[in-house]
Amino acid sequence: MMQFSNGGECSDMVTINVSNSHNETVSFERKYSRSLTICEFKAKLETITGGCAGTMQLELYCGNRLIGKLDDNERTFGSYAVEDGMRVHVIDNFQFIQENVPKFELSQEEYDKKSDSVRSFLRKNKLGKYNEEEMVKLEAERKRQEEEDRRKLDEMAIGARCRVTTKGQPVRLGAIMYKGPIDGKPGMFVGVRFDEPLGVNDGSANGKRYFQCDPKYGSFVTVKAIEVGDFPPEEFDDEL
């Protein structure tokens, strides 16, 4: 069923938030077409949550109130009572393994032969990872972002002043103390010593020290969170 905006104009898009059962992160303000089938919608959620469309279950929430389950793969997203600002929670069954309960498993060959599986539907309709063109675009965008981050990292100088902007945190000022990889984590990071105790560490991570600072004055952030510039330290009144 189509929804209408305040001006009476029919709108096919809905803006929702997406959470998942793997961690506490939330992807905010994602726009999706109400005409997507739930199966197609699950395929799009693969790239956001890292889950599998074939195993995920979806729940629709308004705030913390459960509206219902999106459990019919053939129904359209808009046929459920979905409205702007609601949250879709993605649950992945394979993450929860019960002890002493036998699992029913199909071999990859047997599963590929099934014509009624989600994988078969995705492959037939070229959705998710079976959409070669979309996968090529995503990989190209990933490489472009990786190259941009590498160039930006090369231009950063140790000791340079910077401004850090990350979700859920105030804008923080500090100095770049480290740039490069961190053991056990993929990608490249920038170690920052903040002017105020708004960090989460003392320049070390997982028992390894990368730079020196007082506790709560250091953090490791992604390259895109950094803006290098003339940001002089703020002056603070000791009496305050």
Side-chain angles (χ1 to χ4, degrees), residues 10 32 38 50 52 57 81 84-85 87 95 109 121 126 139 147 153 166 173 182 187 189 191 196 211 225 240:
C10 182
Y32 295 98
I38 295 302
C52 174
Q57 299 178 34
D84 286 341
R87 174 171 58 90
Q95 297 176 20
E109 184 179 355
F121 180 88
K126 296 183 179 180
E139 179 62 16
E147 182 61 32
L153 195 70
T166 57
L173 300 181
I182 295 178
F189 293 86
E196 302 177 74
F211 64 93
L240 294 178

Side-chain angles (χ1 to χ4, degrees), residues 36 57 67 82 107 114 117 130 139 144 151 156 159 172 182 187 204:
L36 289 171
Q57 299 178 34
I67 302 299
V82 58
S107 68
K114 289 177 64 67
S117 67
Y130 298 105
E139 179 62 16
R144 186 199 66 78
R151 177 189 56 77
M156 292 181 186
R172 295 167 289 176
I182 295 178
S204 61

Side-chain angles (χ1 to χ4, degrees), residues 17-239:
N17 305 318
V18 179
S19 60
N20 68 83
S21 59
H22 181 62
N23 51 47
E24 298 179 354
T25 62
V26 178
S27 181
F28 292 98
E29 297 185 350
R30 294 277 181 168
K31 290 186 177 181
Y32 295 98
S33 170
R34 299 177 192 270
S35 62
L36 289 171
T37 65
I38 295 302
C39 191
E40 292 170 332
F41 181 46
K42 286 180 177 179
K44 291 185 176 295
L45 293 177
E46 280 188 332
T47 57
I48 298 175
T49 64
C52 174
T55 58
M56 67 175 60
Q57 299 178 34
L58 307 183
E59 294 179 343
L60 181 65
Y61 286 84
C62 182
N64 291 322
R65 180 169 60 90
L66 176 64
I67 302 299
K69 296 184 177 182
L70 311 182
D71 52 6
D72 187 340
N73 284 332
E74 302 304 317
R75 281 182 61 177
T76 62
F77 188 35
S79 68
Y80 290 88
V82 58
E83 298 290 346
D84 286 341
M86 286 186 173
R87 174 171 58 90
V88 170
H89 185 62
V90 179
I91 301 172
D92 245 327
N93 286 336
F94 63 83
Q95 297 176 20
F96 301 95
I97 302 175
Q98 295 180 329
E99 294 182 357
N100 303 322
V101 178
K103 276 197 307 183
F104 174 73
E105 294 183 342
L106 289 176
S107 68
Q108 289 295 323
E109 184 179 355
E110 290 173 320
Y111 187 70
D112 283 337
K113 290 178 180 179
K114 289 177 64 67
S115 61
D116 58 346
S117 67
V118 173
R119 181 183 296 175
S120 175
F121 180 88
L122 295 175
R123 185 187 296 114
K124 180 179 179 181
N125 292 276
K126 296 183 179 180
L127 298 172
K129 62 184 178 182
Y130 298 105
N131 185 331
E132 186 175 343
E133 182 179 350
E134 183 66 19
M135 290 298 101
V136 169
K137 288 181 180 179
L138 289 174
E139 179 62 16
E141 174 59 24
R142 186 192 66 79
K143 289 183 177 180
R144 186 199 66 78
Q145 185 64 54
E146 191 177 76
E147 182 61 32
E148 183 178 326
D149 288 350
R150 186 180 295 109
R151 177 189 56 77
K152 187 176 179 181
L153 195 70
D154 289 342
E155 294 174 353
M156 292 181 186
I158 300 298
R161 294 289 300 171
C162 66
R163 177 164 59 193
V164 177
T165 305
T166 57
K167 282 186 176 181
Q169 295 285 349
V171 175
R172 295 167 289 176
L173 300 181
I176 295 174
M177 304 299 293
Y178 172 81
K179 58 179 185 177
I182 295 178
D183 287 354
K185 291 186 177 293
M188 305 295 280
F189 293 86
V190 180
V192 179
R193 182 185 64 205
F194 295 119
D195 297 340
E196 302 177 74
L198 297 175
V200 296
N201 58 47
D202 62 351
S204 61
N206 298 323
K208 181 177 179 179
R209 178 161 300 283
Y210 294 88
F211 64 93
Q212 188 71 45
C213 70
D214 292 334
K216 300 294 184 181
Y217 275 80
S219 279
F220 296 96
V221 299
T222 59
V223 177
K224 64 182 179 181
I226 295 285
E227 179 185 357
V228 177
D230 183 18
F231 303 112
E234 295 182 2
E235 295 184 1
F236 303 101
D237 190 336
D238 291 339
E239 293 184 0

